[in-house]
């Protein structure tokens, strides 16, 4: 459960403080961490000590200590040297490692709970009973943030986020798959939507400074009960997917900002194909030339205002009217009419969704 690297870092720090060499071995006498190569041959003695009833013992000039986890022997700690000082230092080191095991086990239990909570793998009664047992508040505001980078499959991203949030025991950082890191953010201090967005921006800046590329962050709505955390997770997941389709120019997206894109994302592809055929016959709106598409997009950006659109495109008003008339003849839709404009806008989004999903031909 606890990594050898954590054990190594721990005894390295203890050596600096106490100036005593340490070695940690498992019950089979295999070295897990050590501050000196001279103790690598202590395996047989460690195995014999593990089988003995003693909690500590001096063997060949070294002090041996047992490290237990819930009465189960996990490791043997060896301190180099004899005498009361080395014995005391070794006893303190063994106590430190044992506490470390307990802390990591508790975090592991919480991590498992949060993963199952996100994935809806728990019954309602289990959610509250396990939350109480793990000392997790059930009735505080939370939101789920999903973080994806070009290197998301690298577990370092998960560790980076745990480092970023430090020792904040109210937030939970985990991963339910190899593509994303999940942050269950505690909002008990009254963080508003703007603060959540600011936090997402801070995370993005931190990850980019750490060398991560293509950072994308999505987050769900704020929930008030722990049983609703899975809903916020599903919203964040959808926001991540929909954001890539319809908001590809944004690195941070909230579920509440998805708009009609959220509805289109849930449409079956056959229904989308049928819609495009009914509106445009055998033609797709993304087959128009670049000039026509830029004119359409600018017209939508300016809320169907002919004068403002022609000014921003640096063309005469009559030229714009000519282009719109030409488009009407080819599609039967007049973008100056609100209902036709909505139909065309939705069609463009549907085609973008279809292209993203599988590159269907229509």
């Amino acid at each position: 459960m606890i990594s050898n690297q954590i054990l190594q870092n721990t005894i390295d720090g203890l050596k600096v403080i106490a100036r005593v060499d340490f070695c940690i071995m498992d019950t089979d006498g295999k070295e897990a961490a050590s501050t000196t190569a001279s103790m690598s041959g202590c395996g047989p003695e460690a195995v014999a000590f593990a089988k003995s009833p003693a909690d500590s013992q001096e063997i060949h000039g070294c002090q041996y200590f047992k490290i237990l986890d819930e009465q189960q022997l996990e490791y043997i700690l060896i301190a180099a040297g004899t005498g009361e000082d080395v014995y005391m230092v070794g006893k303190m080191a063994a106590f430190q490692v044992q506490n470390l095991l307990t802390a990591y086990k508790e975090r592991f239990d919480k991590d498992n709970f949060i993963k199952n909570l996100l994935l809806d793998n728990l019954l309602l009664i289990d959610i509250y009973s396990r939350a109480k047992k793990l000392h997790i508040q059930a009735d505080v505001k939370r939101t789920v943030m999903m973080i994806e980078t070009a290197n998301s499959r690298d577990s370092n991203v998960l560790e980076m986020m745990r480092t970023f949030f430090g020792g904040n025991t109210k937030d939970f950082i985990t991963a339910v798959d190899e593509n994303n890191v999940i942050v269950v953010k505690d909002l008990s201090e009254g963080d508003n939507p703007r603060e959540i967005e600011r936090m997402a921006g801070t995370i993005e800046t931190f990850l980019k400074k750490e060398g991560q590329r293509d950072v994308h962050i999505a987050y769900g709505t704020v929930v008030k009960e722990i049983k609703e955390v899975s809903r916020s997770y599903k919203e964040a997941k959808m926001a991540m997917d929909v954001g890539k389709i319809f908001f590809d120019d944004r690195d941070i997206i909230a579920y509440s900002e998805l708009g009609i894109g959220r509805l289109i994302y849930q449409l079956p592809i056959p229904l989308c194909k049928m819609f495009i055929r009914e509106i445009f016959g055998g033609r797709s709106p993304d087959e128009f030339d670049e000039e026509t598409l830029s004119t359409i997009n600018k017209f939508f950006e300016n809320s169907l205002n002919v004068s403002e659109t022609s000014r921003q495109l640096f063309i005469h008003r009559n030229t714009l009217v000519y282009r719109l008339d030409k488009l009407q003849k080819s599609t039967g839709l007049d973008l100056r009419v609100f209902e036709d404009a909505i139909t065309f806008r939705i069609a463009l989004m549907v085609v973008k969704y279809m292209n993203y999903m599988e590159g269907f031909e229509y």
Side-chain angles (χ1 to χ4, degrees):
M1 181 173 62
I2 187 171
S3 70
N4 288 350
Q5 185 61 52
I6 296 295
L7 295 174
Q8 185 66 54
N9 293 341
T10 302
I11 61 175
D12 282 343
L14 290 170
K15 179 182 177 180
V16 171
I17 296 170
R19 298 181 182 179
V20 172
D21 278 310
F22 299 98
C23 180
I24 297 178
M25 292 188 170
D26 62 20
T27 54
D28 295 325
K30 294 179 181 179
E31 184 180 294
S34 180
T35 61
T36 176
S38 64
M39 301 171 75
S40 59
C42 296
E45 290 84 355
V47 172
F49 171 64
K51 296 177 180 178
S52 73
D55 292 329
S56 62
Q57 188 176 351
E58 181 183 334
I59 305 175
H60 297 159
C62 293
Q63 299 286 347
Y64 285 67
F65 302 90
K66 290 181 179 177
I67 298 174
L68 307 177
D69 182 19
E70 293 186 355
Q71 309 305 315
Q72 180 73 31
L73 181 62
E74 290 288 335
Y75 295 106
I76 305 299
L77 174 74
I78 309 170
T82 59
E84 290 186 5
D85 289 345
V86 174
Y87 174 82
M88 181 181 67
V89 169
K91 196 74 173 175
M92 292 174 65
F95 180 74
Q96 175 70 17
V97 174
Q98 189 157 315
N99 283 342
L100 199 61
L101 285 176
T102 302
Y104 266 77
K105 185 173 183 179
E106 182 179 348
R107 193 179 87 171
F108 179 76
D109 288 343
K110 285 185 177 180
D111 191 60
N112 264 347
F113 170 68
I114 294 298
K115 284 180 180 178
N116 285 312
L117 180 66
L118 293 171
L119 297 174
D120 264 340
N121 290 339
L122 297 171
L123 296 174
L124 184 60
I125 189 171
D126 291 334
I127 291 175
Y128 286 97
S129 62
R130 291 187 63 180
K132 183 178 181 180
K133 183 178 179 181
L134 294 169
H135 307 290
I136 298 174
Q137 282 188 273
D139 57 351
V140 300
K141 293 181 180 179
R142 293 182 174 92
T143 188
V144 175
M145 308 176 77
M146 179 174 285
I147 302 162
E148 181 180 291
T149 73
N151 305 321
S152 286
R153 297 191 178 192
D154 183 354
S155 60
N156 284 338
V157 179
L158 180 61
E159 291 305 319
M160 284 178 190
M161 292 314 305
R162 285 175 174 162
T163 300
F164 176 82
F165 283 93
N168 190 342
T169 57
K170 293 182 178 180
D171 299 325
F172 303 100
I173 297 89
T174 188
V176 295
D177 56 44
E178 60 183 7
N179 298 318
N180 310 106
V181 172
I182 308 299
V183 177
V184 181
K185 184 78 180 72
D186 183 283
L187 303 176
S188 57
E189 296 179 1
D191 292 355
N192 56 43
R194 188 163 297 186
E195 281 295 312
I196 299 172
E197 186 174 358
R198 184 191 63 77
M199 171 63 71
T202 305
I203 292 172
E204 180 187 18
T205 301
F206 168 75
L207 289 174
K208 286 183 175 179
K209 285 183 178 179
E210 293 293 323
Q212 297 299 315
R213 298 178 293 105
D214 300 331
V215 179
H216 295 283
I217 301 173
Y219 55 93
T221 56
V222 176
V223 297
K224 298 178 180 179
E225 288 279 342
I226 196 168
K227 66 180 181 181
E228 298 175 327
V229 166
S230 62
R231 174 166 62 83
S232 187
Y233 165 69
K234 292 172 185 174
E235 291 171 350
K237 187 173 176 60
M238 179 181 286
M240 181 67 76
D241 292 338
V242 175
K244 292 176 183 177
I245 303 172
F246 303 117
F247 303 90
D248 50 354
D249 58 331
R250 295 179 58 178
D251 296 331
I252 300 172
I253 187 73
Y255 176 80
S256 60
E257 299 172 330
L258 298 181
I260 197 172
R262 185 175 75 209
L263 300 178
I264 293 174
Y265 178 75
Q266 299 179 76
L267 294 175
I269 293 297
L271 185 61
C272 293
K273 293 171 69 175
M274 184 175 67
F275 172 73
I276 295 301
R277 288 197 182 106
E278 288 178 354
I279 300 299
F280 297 104
R283 193 176 185 187
S284 171
D286 65 346
E287 293 177 4
F288 295 116
D289 58 74
E290 190 63 34
E291 181 184 77
T292 302
L293 285 175
S294 63
T295 300
I296 293 169
N297 289 328
K298 187 61 69 174
F299 194 52
F300 286 143
E301 286 177 18
N302 290 287
S303 303
L304 314 184
N305 188 308
V306 174
S307 299
E308 184 60 24
T309 302
S310 59
R311 186 186 69 80
Q312 291 189 20
L313 290 173
F314 304 103
I315 60 176
H316 194 277
R317 190 177 189 277
N318 291 342
T319 302
L320 176 59
V321 171
Y322 169 76
R323 292 181 184 177
L324 295 174
D325 287 341
K326 184 180 177 182
L327 184 65
Q328 182 182 5
K329 289 179 181 178
S330 64
T331 64
L333 297 173
D334 185 355
L335 299 193
R336 290 160 292 190
V337 177
F338 183 69
E339 288 188 6
D340 286 357
I342 289 178
T343 301
F344 201 96
R345 178 64 172 168
I346 292 175
L348 286 176
M349 295 179 71
V350 168
V351 168
K352 197 170 185 179
Y353 163 63
M354 293 167 70
N355 287 339
Y356 177 86
M357 293 301 288
E358 289 189 31
F360 283 82
E361 295 184 4
Y362 348 99

